[in-house]
């Protein structure tokens, strides 16, 4: 399997793509579909419980002293990105169809990544402490802000209907487990952090969500609702948006007077979108709808951001001044 490590593709993404292909060929049906729905519900709740147990609100609050940095990153994640998403829908909605169009907008509403944002900032010799706080704050707030933004921007367009049942599902599968994880953190937080193998539970849950979404999509004729041309347009839009946001975050950070280390943290945290949070959230927020097509833009954007940020981080590391500080 050593050859896999040399491929320019994230192995987690490879597992997700494999689950999508498997579901397209062998979708769950009948009794197995019902059992899969129950298993997916439990897996999503467990996933957000573990998120709550890992993320420290105390550390986030303590690090908010550099408020200009964090406010700038959050503004990109939850204000500018959604505005870009609305512009994308207006420009491409008639071309790619409602499912992929909704997916493009949803992609802009999810939180930033945690691990990869911090890792790339560290490689680039940026403000690692700032990246840790901002990425963590983005994910803590995202549990509440992403469903709220979906309600504000999608329900009024008729793309998603927020019924009492939907709101209850969001509360029971996302909010309640996350809050319980936060409350239990003082007792189990150390154990969760000390056992990185628990991330297999996270990733297994997400792969299960993808298999369930594509199984449902296949039963509803998902692939008859789009074309290869539409998928190529979506890929092009994802790459274009990523390029614009990478350039805009760097330009804005420097114009606002941030130093090199802070600008790197703003660029990497402000342009990333979390597959790990976004996929399970989509399964809950869009329950009962064809989620398979809807999550494709996020999957494509995730791989594009990993490749682009990896190249940028390496370039920044090579050009860093001697003695560059990686924490701030």
């Amino acid at each position: 399997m050593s050859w896999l490590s040399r491929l320019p593709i994230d192995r987690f993404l490879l597992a997700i793509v494999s689950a999508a292909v498997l579901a397209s060929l062998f979708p769950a049906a009948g009794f197995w579909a019902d059992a899969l729905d129950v298993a997916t519900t439990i897996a999503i709740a467990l996933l957000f419980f573990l998120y709550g147990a890992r993320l420290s609100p105390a550390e986030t609050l303590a690090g908010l002293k550099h408020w200009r940095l964090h406010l700038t990153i959050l503004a990109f994640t939850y204000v500018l990105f959604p505005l870009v998403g609305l512009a994308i829908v207006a420009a491409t909605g008639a071309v790619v169809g409602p499912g992929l169009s909704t997916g493009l907008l949803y992609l802009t509403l999810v939180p930033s990544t945690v691990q990869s944002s911090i890792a790339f900032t560290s490689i680039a010799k940026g403000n690692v402490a700032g990246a840790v706080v901002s990425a963590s704050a983005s994910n803590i707030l995202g549990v509440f802000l992403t469903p709220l933004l979906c309600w504000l921007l999608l329900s009024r367009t008729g793309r998603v209907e927020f019924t009492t049942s939907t709101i209850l599902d969001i509360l029971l599968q996302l909010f309640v487990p996350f809050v319980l994880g936060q409350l239990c953190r003082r007792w189990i937080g150390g154990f969760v952090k000390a056992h990185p193998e628990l991330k297999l539970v996270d990733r297994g849950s997400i792969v299960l969500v993808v298999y369930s979404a594509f199984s449902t999509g296949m039963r509803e004729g998902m692939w008859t609702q789009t074309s290869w041309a539409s998928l190529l347009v979506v890929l092009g839009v994802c790459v274009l948006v990523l390029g614009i946001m990478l350039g805009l975050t760097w330009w804005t950070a420097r114009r606002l007077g941030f130093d090199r280390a802070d600008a790197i943290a703003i660029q990497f945290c402000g342009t990333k979108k979390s597959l790990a949070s976004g996929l399970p959230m989509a399964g809950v927020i869009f329950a009962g709808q064809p989620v398979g097509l809807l999550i494709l833009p996020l999957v494509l954007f995730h791989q594009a951001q990993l490749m682009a940020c990896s190249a940028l981080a390496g370039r920044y590391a090579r050009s860093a001044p001697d003695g560059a500080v990686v924490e701030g």
Side-chain angles (χ1 to χ4, degrees):
M1 300 292 286
S2 60
W3 63 274
L4 278 176
S5 62
R6 296 193 293 271
L7 287 175
I9 186 170
D10 180 38
R11 281 181 287 183
F12 176 41
L13 182 62
L14 194 60
I16 288 173
V17 172
S18 298
V21 172
L22 183 64
S24 297
L25 297 174
F26 306 104
F31 167 80
W32 296 110
D34 295 336
L36 183 62
D37 288 342
V38 174
T40 301
T41 299
I42 295 171
I44 291 173
L46 177 60
L47 179 68
F48 277 85
F49 175 81
L50 290 174
Y51 283 168
R54 285 197 190 98
L55 296 173
S56 171
E59 291 173 5
T60 300
L61 290 173
L64 288 179
K65 291 179 289 186
H66 199 352
W67 62 269
R68 287 182 66 247
L69 172 74
H70 308 308
L71 192 61
T72 301
I73 292 172
L74 290 174
F76 274 109
T77 303
Y78 292 115
V79 179
L80 188 59
F81 249 118
L83 291 175
V84 170
L86 290 173
I88 291 171
V89 169
T92 66
V95 178
V96 301
L100 289 173
S101 177
T102 301
L104 283 168
L105 179 53
Y106 176 70
L107 142 71
T108 65
L109 308 182
V110 302
S112 177
T113 61
V114 177
Q115 290 90 347
S116 60
S117 293
I118 296 167
F120 287 133
T121 301
S122 177
I123 292 169
K125 299 184 179 180
N127 185 342
V128 176
V132 169
V133 172
S134 287
S136 299
S138 176
N139 273 258
I140 290 173
L141 292 172
V143 177
F144 308 95
L145 287 180
T146 296
L148 177 61
L149 286 169
C150 286
W151 176 69
L152 290 173
L153 301 181
L154 290 170
S155 62
R156 297 181 184 182
T157 64
R159 296 174 187 275
V160 58
E161 184 178 356
F162 273 74
T163 62
T164 302
S165 176
T166 304
I167 295 171
L168 188 60
D169 285 343
I170 292 171
L171 287 172
L172 292 179
Q173 292 186 61
L174 303 182
F175 291 175
V176 173
F178 182 82
V179 171
L180 286 175
Q182 292 273 281
L183 294 175
C184 295
R185 191 178 183 280
R186 61 179 298 184
W187 296 289
I188 67 172
F191 175 84
V192 171
K193 283 194 171 183
H195 291 79
E197 63 272 14
L198 284 175
K199 289 186 179 177
L200 292 175
V201 176
D202 295 5
R203 298 192 167 196
S205 299
I206 295 165
V207 171
L208 186 66
V209 168
V210 172
Y211 179 78
S212 176
F214 274 81
S215 289
T216 302
M218 289 303 296
R219 294 195 299 270
E220 297 173 352
M222 178 180 73
W223 294 117
T224 64
Q225 301 170 25
T226 189
S227 65
W228 284 108
S230 296
L231 294 177
L232 288 174
V233 170
V234 169
L235 176 59
V237 169
C238 288
V239 172
L240 178 63
V241 169
L242 178 60
I244 290 172
M245 295 303 291
L246 284 170
L248 193 56
T249 47
W250 183 265
W251 180 84
T252 302
R254 300 305 271 175
R255 292 283 292 181
L256 291 176
F258 288 102
D259 62 20
R260 177 186 180 279
D262 285 347
I264 288 172
I266 289 170
Q267 186 177 57
F268 287 138
C269 295
T271 57
K272 306 294 276 304
K273 288 297 179 178
S274 175
L275 195 70
S277 297
L279 291 187
M281 281 186 180
V284 178
I285 295 171
F286 301 97
Q289 300 185 51
V291 182
L293 284 180
L294 189 144
I295 63 177
L296 273 179
L298 181 57
V299 173
L300 295 173
F301 188 88
H302 174 82
Q303 179 60 26
Q305 74 185 10
L306 287 180
M307 296 174 69
C309 291
S310 178
L312 272 176
R315 193 183 78 181
Y316 290 151
R318 291 189 296 272
S319 63
D322 292 338
V325 179
V326 298
E327 295 183 333

